[in-house]
Amino acid sequence: MAINYIPLDKDKHKDLKIIPRIDLEFSKETHLAAATIREFAHLASTMPVVFIEDPTNKNIHTVAMLGVDQNVNLFWAEDRWQGPHVPLNIQRYPFDIRPDGDKLGVFFDENSHLVADEGEALFTEDGEPTEFLKNRQQFLAELANSEMLNQRFVKRVVELDLLENVQIGIQYQDGTARNVTGIMSIDEKKLNELDDAVILELHKAGFLGAMYAIMMSLAQLNRLVELSNKGDKPIRTVQIRPVPKEGEEEKPKA
């Protein structure tokens, strides 16, 4: 059944109950997950974190790579999550925080199997949030705050022209090959050429560490290779390289 988020309403949903457990199976067909600056350090030790551009509005976003093929989450296998860290944007399920009128509101997936007759109530008899809901609201508020900081981070990265297009060359065990394009990372050469005053500004804002976490996270492509062995399309090797700029010739593959 398709995911369908609707606003949480204390009158309409006064009797709503949620099974109190984290459900990650819903993400099994998600190969990219939104990631925010406050979790980069953790995610970078488990999965690649990259920048992508939304083709509809040209906005730049940071995402964690859960796989290299559309609709395939390599971290979900054998009915469990294969790794120590899970992006917060996945942990929040079945809740979400979204614009609701002129403010942010709590939404939930009305089709989730975590919505049940038994479980944790969301509202008291007086219509007030229960402790369970308060904890989820706090989690969502922290996620929203991290996303706002992340937007400032991305804006500064773009202003400083620090992004470079990269592509991932993939060779599968069956002999087929393809390139994953449309992703960006930090151009380390440009970063190192910044003025000392700008470097200090980035450090104080917490942005410098985030940039290095993103660059280091690309090493986790090897983890995706390892995880692919549990799936239907095992990967033999991956190779990451800059996308040649217009007018440049692509260097021969090793």
Side-chain angles (χ1 to χ4, degrees), residues 68-69 72 74 169-178 221-238:
V68 294
D69 292 300
V72 178
L74 295 175
I170 302 172
Q171 290 190 333
Y172 296 96
Q173 294 284 6
D174 63 7
T176 59
R178 60 185 286 261
L221 284 167
N222 291 324
R223 185 182 293 268
L224 298 185
V225 173
E226 179 184 352
L227 291 174
S228 73
N229 291 320
K230 297 178 181 288
D232 299 328
K233 203 171 182 181
I235 299 170
R236 178 179 298 154
T237 61
V238 294

PDB file of all heavy atoms in Angstrom, residues 68-69 72 74 169-178 221-238:
ATOM      1  N   VAL A  68      23.031   2.139  -5.403  1.00  0.00           N
ATOM      2  CA  VAL A  68      23.457   2.769  -6.649  1.00  0.00           C
ATOM      3  C   VAL A  68      22.459   2.536  -7.776  1.00  0.00           C
ATOM      4  O   VAL A  68      22.607   3.107  -8.859  1.00  0.00           O
ATOM      5  CB  VAL A  68      24.859   2.259  -7.074  1.00  0.00           C
ATOM      6  CG1 VAL A  68      25.916   2.709  -6.088  1.00  0.00           C
ATOM      7  CG2 VAL A  68      24.864   0.729  -7.209  1.00  0.00           C
ATOM      8  N   ASP A  69      21.473   1.700  -7.536  1.00  0.00           N
ATOM      9  CA  ASP A  69      20.433   1.438  -8.528  1.00  0.00           C
ATOM     10  C   ASP A  69      19.104   1.968  -8.014  1.00  0.00           C
ATOM     11  O   ASP A  69      18.808   1.902  -6.807  1.00  0.00           O
ATOM     12  CB  ASP A  69      20.310  -0.064  -8.795  1.00  0.00           C
ATOM     13  CG  ASP A  69      21.528  -0.620  -9.508  1.00  0.00           C
ATOM     14  OD1 ASP A  69      21.818  -0.155 -10.629  1.00  0.00           O
ATOM     15  OD2 ASP A  69      22.198  -1.514  -8.948  1.00  0.00           O
ATOM     16  N   VAL A  72      16.533   0.466  -5.009  1.00  0.00           N
ATOM     17  CA  VAL A  72      17.204  -0.632  -4.310  1.00  0.00           C
ATOM     18  C   VAL A  72      18.010  -0.075  -3.139  1.00  0.00           C
ATOM     19  O   VAL A  72      19.008   0.621  -3.340  1.00  0.00           O
ATOM     20  CB  VAL A  72      18.138  -1.430  -5.238  1.00  0.00           C
ATOM     21  CG1 VAL A  72      18.856  -2.536  -4.454  1.00  0.00           C
ATOM     22  CG2 VAL A  72      17.360  -2.031  -6.402  1.00  0.00           C
ATOM     23  N   LEU A  74      20.454  -1.048  -0.491  1.00  0.00           N
ATOM     24  CA  LEU A  74      21.359  -2.142  -0.156  1.00  0.00           C
ATOM     25  C   LEU A  74      21.497  -2.348   1.345  1.00  0.00           C
ATOM     26  O   LEU A  74      21.941  -3.408   1.779  1.00  0.00           O
ATOM     27  CB  LEU A  74      22.738  -1.872  -0.777  1.00  0.00           C
ATOM     28  CG  LEU A  74      22.790  -1.863  -2.310  1.00  0.00           C
ATOM     29  CD1 LEU A  74      24.186  -1.473  -2.789  1.00  0.00           C
ATOM     30  CD2 LEU A  74      22.392  -3.223  -2.873  1.00  0.00           C
ATOM     31  N   GLY A 169      31.739   4.879 -11.627  1.00  0.00           N
ATOM     32  CA  GLY A 169      31.763   3.785 -12.586  1.00  0.00           C
ATOM     33  C   GLY A 169      31.547   2.475 -11.862  1.00  0.00           C
ATOM     34  O   GLY A 169      32.265   2.152 -10.913  1.00  0.00           O
ATOM     35  N   ILE A 170      30.556   1.727 -12.285  1.00  0.00           N
ATOM     36  CA  ILE A 170      30.198   0.472 -11.617  1.00  0.00           C
ATOM     37  C   ILE A 170      30.366  -0.700 -12.574  1.00  0.00           C
ATOM     38  O   ILE A 170      29.898  -0.648 -13.721  1.00  0.00           O
ATOM     39  CB  ILE A 170      28.740   0.497 -11.120  1.00  0.00           C
ATOM     40  CG1 ILE A 170      28.524   1.671 -10.172  1.00  0.00           C
ATOM     41  CG2 ILE A 170      28.375  -0.810 -10.438  1.00  0.00           C
ATOM     42  CD1 ILE A 170      27.086   1.871  -9.784  1.00  0.00           C
ATOM     43  N   GLN A 171      31.039  -1.731 -12.122  1.00  0.00           N
ATOM     44  CA  GLN A 171      31.120  -2.984 -12.854  1.00  0.00           C
ATOM     45  C   GLN A 171      30.445  -4.061 -12.007  1.00  0.00           C
ATOM     46  O   GLN A 171      30.829  -4.283 -10.855  1.00  0.00           O
ATOM     47  CB  GLN A 171      32.565  -3.368 -13.142  1.00  0.00           C
ATOM     48  CG  GLN A 171      33.249  -2.471 -14.174  1.00  0.00           C
ATOM     49  CD  GLN A 171      34.583  -3.018 -14.615  1.00  0.00           C
ATOM     50  OE1 GLN A 171      35.244  -3.743 -13.878  1.00  0.00           O
ATOM     51  NE2 GLN A 171      34.995  -2.674 -15.824  1.00  0.00           N
ATOM     52  N   TYR A 172      29.451  -4.707 -12.601  1.00  0.00           N
ATOM     53  CA  TYR A 172      28.721  -5.754 -11.890  1.00  0.00           C
ATOM     54  C   TYR A 172      29.382  -7.112 -12.117  1.00  0.00           C
ATOM     55  O   TYR A 172      30.150  -7.311 -13.061  1.00  0.00           O
ATOM     56  CB  TYR A 172      27.264  -5.793 -12.359  1.00  0.00           C
ATOM     57  CG  TYR A 172      26.480  -4.540 -12.035  1.00  0.00           C
ATOM     58  CD1 TYR A 172      26.340  -3.520 -12.982  1.00  0.00           C
ATOM     59  CD2 TYR A 172      25.898  -4.366 -10.792  1.00  0.00           C
ATOM     60  CE1 TYR A 172      25.624  -2.368 -12.694  1.00  0.00           C
ATOM     61  CE2 TYR A 172      25.182  -3.212 -10.493  1.00  0.00           C
ATOM     62  CZ  TYR A 172      25.047  -2.214 -11.444  1.00  0.00           C
ATOM     63  OH  TYR A 172      24.352  -1.073 -11.152  1.00  0.00           O
ATOM     64  N   GLN A 173      29.043  -8.026 -11.229  1.00  0.00           N
ATOM     65  CA  GLN A 173      29.614  -9.382 -11.324  1.00  0.00           C
ATOM     66  C   GLN A 173      29.216 -10.078 -12.618  1.00  0.00           C
ATOM     67  O   GLN A 173      29.933 -10.945 -13.110  1.00  0.00           O
ATOM     68  CB  GLN A 173      29.152 -10.227 -10.116  1.00  0.00           C
ATOM     69  CG  GLN A 173      29.672  -9.768  -8.768  1.00  0.00           C
ATOM     70  CD  GLN A 173      31.132 -10.127  -8.538  1.00  0.00           C
ATOM     71  OE1 GLN A 173      31.803 -10.624  -9.423  1.00  0.00           O
ATOM     72  NE2 GLN A 173      31.622  -9.869  -7.334  1.00  0.00           N
ATOM     73  N   ASP A 174      28.066  -9.705 -13.194  1.00  0.00           N
ATOM     74  CA  ASP A 174      27.622 -10.362 -14.426  1.00  0.00           C
ATOM     75  C   ASP A 174      28.289  -9.799 -15.675  1.00  0.00           C
ATOM     76  O   ASP A 174      27.954 -10.185 -16.798  1.00  0.00           O
ATOM     77  CB  ASP A 174      26.096 -10.274 -14.569  1.00  0.00           C
ATOM     78  CG  ASP A 174      25.587  -8.841 -14.688  1.00  0.00           C
ATOM     79  OD1 ASP A 174      26.420  -7.910 -14.802  1.00  0.00           O
ATOM     80  OD2 ASP A 174      24.365  -8.632 -14.657  1.00  0.00           O
ATOM     81  N   GLY A 175      29.237  -8.854 -15.495  1.00  0.00           N
ATOM     82  CA  GLY A 175      29.977  -8.313 -16.621  1.00  0.00           C
ATOM     83  C   GLY A 175      29.432  -7.009 -17.163  1.00  0.00           C
ATOM     84  O   GLY A 175      30.096  -6.343 -17.964  1.00  0.00           O
ATOM     85  N   THR A 176      28.232  -6.614 -16.762  1.00  0.00           N
ATOM     86  CA  THR A 176      27.678  -5.347 -17.219  1.00  0.00           C
ATOM     87  C   THR A 176      28.311  -4.187 -16.453  1.00  0.00           C
ATOM     88  O   THR A 176      28.883  -4.371 -15.377  1.00  0.00           O
ATOM     89  CB  THR A 176      26.152  -5.304 -17.055  1.00  0.00           C
ATOM     90  OG1 THR A 176      25.826  -5.493 -15.662  1.00  0.00           O
ATOM     91  CG2 THR A 176      25.496  -6.410 -17.875  1.00  0.00           C
ATOM     92  N   ALA A 177      28.187  -2.989 -17.012  1.00  0.00           N
ATOM     93  CA  ALA A 177      28.781  -1.799 -16.386  1.00  0.00           C
ATOM     94  C   ALA A 177      27.895  -0.597 -16.656  1.00  0.00           C
ATOM     95  O   ALA A 177      27.138  -0.558 -17.629  1.00  0.00           O
ATOM     96  CB  ALA A 177      30.186  -1.560 -16.914  1.00  0.00           C
ATOM     97  N   ARG A 178      27.983   0.397 -15.773  1.00  0.00           N
ATOM     98  CA  ARG A 178      27.246   1.634 -15.967  1.00  0.00           C
ATOM     99  C   ARG A 178      27.895   2.734 -15.144  1.00  0.00           C
ATOM    100  O   ARG A 178      28.709   2.464 -14.248  1.00  0.00           O
ATOM    101  CB  ARG A 178      25.774   1.491 -15.564  1.00  0.00           C
ATOM    102  CG  ARG A 178      25.563   1.116 -14.115  1.00  0.00           C
ATOM    103  CD  ARG A 178      24.093   0.878 -13.812  1.00  0.00           C
ATOM    104  NE  ARG A 178      23.350   2.125 -13.748  1.00  0.00           N
ATOM    105  CZ  ARG A 178      23.041   2.739 -12.613  1.00  0.00           C
ATOM    106  NH1 ARG A 178      23.430   2.224 -11.442  1.00  0.00           N
ATOM    107  NH2 ARG A 178      22.350   3.852 -12.600  1.00  0.00           N
ATOM    108  N   LEU A 221      31.738   3.786  -0.493  1.00  0.00           N
ATOM    109  CA  LEU A 221      31.259   3.093  -1.685  1.00  0.00           C
ATOM    110  C   LEU A 221      31.654   1.619  -1.638  1.00  0.00           C
ATOM    111  O   LEU A 221      30.934   0.754  -2.151  1.00  0.00           O
ATOM    112  CB  LEU A 221      31.828   3.749  -2.946  1.00  0.00           C
ATOM    113  CG  LEU A 221      31.176   5.075  -3.360  1.00  0.00           C
ATOM    114  CD1 LEU A 221      32.015   5.774  -4.415  1.00  0.00           C
ATOM    115  CD2 LEU A 221      29.762   4.834  -3.864  1.00  0.00           C
ATOM    116  N   ASN A 222      32.789   1.342  -1.008  1.00  0.00           N
ATOM    117  CA  ASN A 222      33.211  -0.053  -0.872  1.00  0.00           C
ATOM    118  C   ASN A 222      32.233  -0.852  -0.015  1.00  0.00           C
ATOM    119  O   ASN A 222      32.057  -2.055  -0.216  1.00  0.00           O
ATOM    120  CB  ASN A 222      34.619  -0.130  -0.268  1.00  0.00           C
ATOM    121  CG  ASN A 222      35.675   0.378  -1.228  1.00  0.00           C
ATOM    122  OD1 ASN A 222      35.580   0.171  -2.433  1.00  0.00           O
ATOM    123  ND2 ASN A 222      36.690   1.066  -0.708  1.00  0.00           N
ATOM    124  N   ARG A 223      31.593  -0.189   0.934  1.00  0.00           N
ATOM    125  CA  ARG A 223      30.586  -0.878   1.746  1.00  0.00           C
ATOM    126  C   ARG A 223      29.379  -1.249   0.876  1.00  0.00           C
ATOM    127  O   ARG A 223      28.780  -2.315   1.045  1.00  0.00           O
ATOM    128  CB  ARG A 223      30.144  -0.003   2.914  1.00  0.00           C
ATOM    129  CG  ARG A 223      29.176  -0.699   3.874  1.00  0.00           C
ATOM    130  CD  ARG A 223      28.749   0.238   4.980  1.00  0.00           C
ATOM    131  NE  ARG A 223      29.848   0.579   5.844  1.00  0.00           N
ATOM    132  CZ  ARG A 223      30.173  -0.082   6.954  1.00  0.00           C
ATOM    133  NH1 ARG A 223      29.463  -1.137   7.319  1.00  0.00           N
ATOM    134  NH2 ARG A 223      31.184   0.302   7.702  1.00  0.00           N
ATOM    135  N   LEU A 224      29.025  -0.363  -0.061  1.00  0.00           N
ATOM    136  CA  LEU A 224      27.916  -0.680  -0.960  1.00  0.00           C
ATOM    137  C   LEU A 224      28.253  -1.898  -1.819  1.00  0.00           C
ATOM    138  O   LEU A 224      27.382  -2.718  -2.110  1.00  0.00           O
ATOM    139  CB  LEU A 224      27.586   0.523  -1.843  1.00  0.00           C
ATOM    140  CG  LEU A 224      27.115   1.793  -1.128  1.00  0.00           C
ATOM    141  CD1 LEU A 224      26.702   2.852  -2.143  1.00  0.00           C
ATOM    142  CD2 LEU A 224      25.964   1.502  -0.174  1.00  0.00           C
ATOM    143  N   VAL A 225      29.507  -1.995  -2.236  1.00  0.00           N
ATOM    144  CA  VAL A 225      29.946  -3.179  -2.991  1.00  0.00           C
ATOM    145  C   VAL A 225      29.739  -4.430  -2.145  1.00  0.00           C
ATOM    146  O   VAL A 225      29.196  -5.441  -2.614  1.00  0.00           O
ATOM    147  CB  VAL A 225      31.421  -3.050  -3.406  1.00  0.00           C
ATOM    148  CG1 VAL A 225      31.918  -4.352  -4.046  1.00  0.00           C
ATOM    149  CG2 VAL A 225      31.606  -1.891  -4.373  1.00  0.00           C
ATOM    150  N   GLU A 226      30.166  -4.358  -0.896  1.00  0.00           N
ATOM    151  CA  GLU A 226      30.025  -5.505   0.004  1.00  0.00           C
ATOM    152  C   GLU A 226      28.560  -5.864   0.227  1.00  0.00           C
ATOM    153  O   GLU A 226      28.173  -7.041   0.162  1.00  0.00           O
ATOM    154  CB  GLU A 226      30.695  -5.172   1.347  1.00  0.00           C
ATOM    155  CG  GLU A 226      30.594  -6.264   2.388  1.00  0.00           C
ATOM    156  CD  GLU A 226      31.183  -5.843   3.720  1.00  0.00           C
ATOM    157  OE1 GLU A 226      31.807  -4.760   3.789  1.00  0.00           O
ATOM    158  OE2 GLU A 226      31.009  -6.584   4.693  1.00  0.00           O
ATOM    159  N   LEU A 227      27.717  -4.855   0.459  1.00  0.00           N
ATOM    160  CA  LEU A 227      26.302  -5.107   0.712  1.00  0.00           C
ATOM    161  C   LEU A 227      25.592  -5.659  -0.516  1.00  0.00           C
ATOM    162  O   LEU A 227      24.617  -6.408  -0.389  1.00  0.00           O
ATOM    163  CB  LEU A 227      25.611  -3.815   1.171  1.00  0.00           C
ATOM    164  CG  LEU A 227      25.997  -3.290   2.546  1.00  0.00           C
ATOM    165  CD1 LEU A 227      25.349  -1.928   2.789  1.00  0.00           C
ATOM    166  CD2 LEU A 227      25.575  -4.268   3.643  1.00  0.00           C
ATOM    167  N   SER A 228      26.076  -5.297  -1.707  1.00  0.00           N
ATOM    168  CA  SER A 228      25.421  -5.770  -2.929  1.00  0.00           C
ATOM    169  C   SER A 228      25.481  -7.285  -3.071  1.00  0.00           C
ATOM    170  O   SER A 228      24.677  -7.875  -3.791  1.00  0.00           O
ATOM    171  CB  SER A 228      26.052  -5.103  -4.161  1.00  0.00           C
ATOM    172  OG  SER A 228      27.344  -5.628  -4.430  1.00  0.00           O
ATOM    173  N   ASN A 229      26.423  -7.909  -2.379  1.00  0.00           N
ATOM    174  CA  ASN A 229      26.537  -9.372  -2.444  1.00  0.00           C
ATOM    175  C   ASN A 229      25.348 -10.073  -1.796  1.00  0.00           C
ATOM    176  O   ASN A 229      25.134 -11.265  -2.015  1.00  0.00           O
ATOM    177  CB  ASN A 229      27.837  -9.836  -1.779  1.00  0.00           C
ATOM    178  CG  ASN A 229      29.059  -9.425  -2.574  1.00  0.00           C
ATOM    179  OD1 ASN A 229      29.056  -9.482  -3.805  1.00  0.00           O
ATOM    180  ND2 ASN A 229      30.103  -9.002  -1.888  1.00  0.00           N
ATOM    181  N   LYS A 230      24.563  -9.337  -1.010  1.00  0.00           N
ATOM    182  CA  LYS A 230      23.364  -9.910  -0.397  1.00  0.00           C
ATOM    183  C   LYS A 230      22.142  -9.754  -1.300  1.00  0.00           C
ATOM    184  O   LYS A 230      21.065 -10.235  -0.978  1.00  0.00           O
ATOM    185  CB  LYS A 230      23.077  -9.228   0.952  1.00  0.00           C
ATOM    186  CG  LYS A 230      24.158  -9.413   2.009  1.00  0.00           C
ATOM    187  CD  LYS A 230      23.793  -8.659   3.276  1.00  0.00           C
ATOM    188  CE  LYS A 230      24.867  -8.800   4.341  1.00  0.00           C
ATOM    189  NZ  LYS A 230      24.899 -10.150   4.918  1.00  0.00           N
ATOM    190  N   GLY A 231      22.313  -9.016  -2.427  1.00  0.00           N
ATOM    191  CA  GLY A 231      21.183  -8.720  -3.300  1.00  0.00           C
ATOM    192  C   GLY A 231      21.202  -9.490  -4.604  1.00  0.00           C
ATOM    193  O   GLY A 231      21.971 -10.446  -4.784  1.00  0.00           O
ATOM    194  N   ASP A 232      20.358  -9.038  -5.524  1.00  0.00           N
ATOM    195  CA  ASP A 232      20.206  -9.728  -6.805  1.00  0.00           C
ATOM    196  C   ASP A 232      21.219  -9.291  -7.852  1.00  0.00           C
ATOM    197  O   ASP A 232      21.333  -9.927  -8.899  1.00  0.00           O
ATOM    198  CB  ASP A 232      18.789  -9.481  -7.365  1.00  0.00           C
ATOM    199  CG  ASP A 232      17.709 -10.010  -6.431  1.00  0.00           C
ATOM    200  OD1 ASP A 232      17.972 -11.014  -5.745  1.00  0.00           O
ATOM    201  OD2 ASP A 232      16.609  -9.409  -6.399  1.00  0.00           O
ATOM    202  N   LYS A 233      21.952  -8.196  -7.582  1.00  0.00           N
ATOM    203  CA  LYS A 233      22.866  -7.662  -8.591  1.00  0.00           C
ATOM    204  C   LYS A 233      24.200  -7.298  -7.943  1.00  0.00           C
ATOM    205  O   LYS A 233      24.505  -6.123  -7.733  1.00  0.00           O
ATOM    206  CB  LYS A 233      22.237  -6.439  -9.263  1.00  0.00           C
ATOM    207  CG  LYS A 233      22.785  -6.134 -10.639  1.00  0.00           C
ATOM    208  CD  LYS A 233      21.949  -5.052 -11.310  1.00  0.00           C
ATOM    209  CE  LYS A 233      22.464  -4.786 -12.724  1.00  0.00           C
ATOM    210  NZ  LYS A 233      21.676  -3.723 -13.394  1.00  0.00           N
ATOM    211  N   PRO A 234      25.016  -8.307  -7.632  1.00  0.00           N
ATOM    212  CA  PRO A 234      26.291  -8.043  -6.959  1.00  0.00           C
ATOM    213  C   PRO A 234      27.211  -7.156  -7.804  1.00  0.00           C
ATOM    214  O   PRO A 234      27.255  -7.269  -9.029  1.00  0.00           O
ATOM    215  CB  PRO A 234      26.895  -9.440  -6.783  1.00  0.00           C
ATOM    216  CG  PRO A 234      25.740 -10.384  -6.892  1.00  0.00           C
ATOM    217  CD  PRO A 234      24.792  -9.743  -7.846  1.00  0.00           C
ATOM    218  N   ILE A 235      27.919  -6.282  -7.113  1.00  0.00           N
ATOM    219  CA  ILE A 235      28.860  -5.363  -7.758  1.00  0.00           C
ATOM    220  C   ILE A 235      30.274  -5.909  -7.603  1.00  0.00           C
ATOM    221  O   ILE A 235      30.659  -6.374  -6.524  1.00  0.00           O
ATOM    222  CB  ILE A 235      28.763  -3.962  -7.138  1.00  0.00           C
ATOM    223  CG1 ILE A 235      27.349  -3.396  -7.329  1.00  0.00           C
ATOM    224  CG2 ILE A 235      29.790  -3.017  -7.747  1.00  0.00           C
ATOM    225  CD1 ILE A 235      27.097  -2.133  -6.538  1.00  0.00           C
ATOM    226  N   ARG A 236      31.049  -5.813  -8.678  1.00  0.00           N
ATOM    227  CA  ARG A 236      32.448  -6.249  -8.604  1.00  0.00           C
ATOM    228  C   ARG A 236      33.330  -5.109  -8.114  1.00  0.00           C
ATOM    229  O   ARG A 236      34.087  -5.244  -7.166  1.00  0.00           O
ATOM    230  CB  ARG A 236      32.920  -6.737  -9.977  1.00  0.00           C
ATOM    231  CG  ARG A 236      34.401  -7.176  -9.996  1.00  0.00           C
ATOM    232  CD  ARG A 236      34.792  -7.675 -11.380  1.00  0.00           C
ATOM    233  NE  ARG A 236      34.001  -8.850 -11.723  1.00  0.00           N
ATOM    234  CZ  ARG A 236      33.731  -9.223 -12.965  1.00  0.00           C
ATOM    235  NH1 ARG A 236      34.158  -8.488 -13.985  1.00  0.00           N
ATOM    236  NH2 ARG A 236      33.022 -10.314 -13.194  1.00  0.00           N
ATOM    237  N   THR A 237      33.242  -3.959  -8.772  1.00  0.00           N
ATOM    238  CA  THR A 237      34.079  -2.819  -8.398  1.00  0.00           C
ATOM    239  C   THR A 237      33.323  -1.514  -8.619  1.00  0.00           C
ATOM    240  O   THR A 237      32.387  -1.445  -9.418  1.00  0.00           O
ATOM    241  CB  THR A 237      35.373  -2.757  -9.243  1.00  0.00           C
ATOM    242  OG1 THR A 237      35.039  -2.608 -10.617  1.00  0.00           O
ATOM    243  CG2 THR A 237      36.220  -3.994  -9.040  1.00  0.00           C
ATOM    244  N   VAL A 238      33.739  -0.476  -7.900  1.00  0.00           N
ATOM    245  CA  VAL A 238      33.258   0.878  -8.139  1.00  0.00           C
ATOM    246  C   VAL A 238      34.465   1.793  -8.254  1.00  0.00           C
ATOM    247  O   VAL A 238      35.496   1.572  -7.620  1.00  0.00           O
ATOM    248  CB  VAL A 238      32.322   1.390  -7.022  1.00  0.00           C
ATOM    249  CG1 VAL A 238      31.037   0.593  -6.980  1.00  0.00           C
ATOM    250  CG2 VAL A 238      33.025   1.380  -5.674  1.00  0.00           C
TER     251      VAL A 238
END
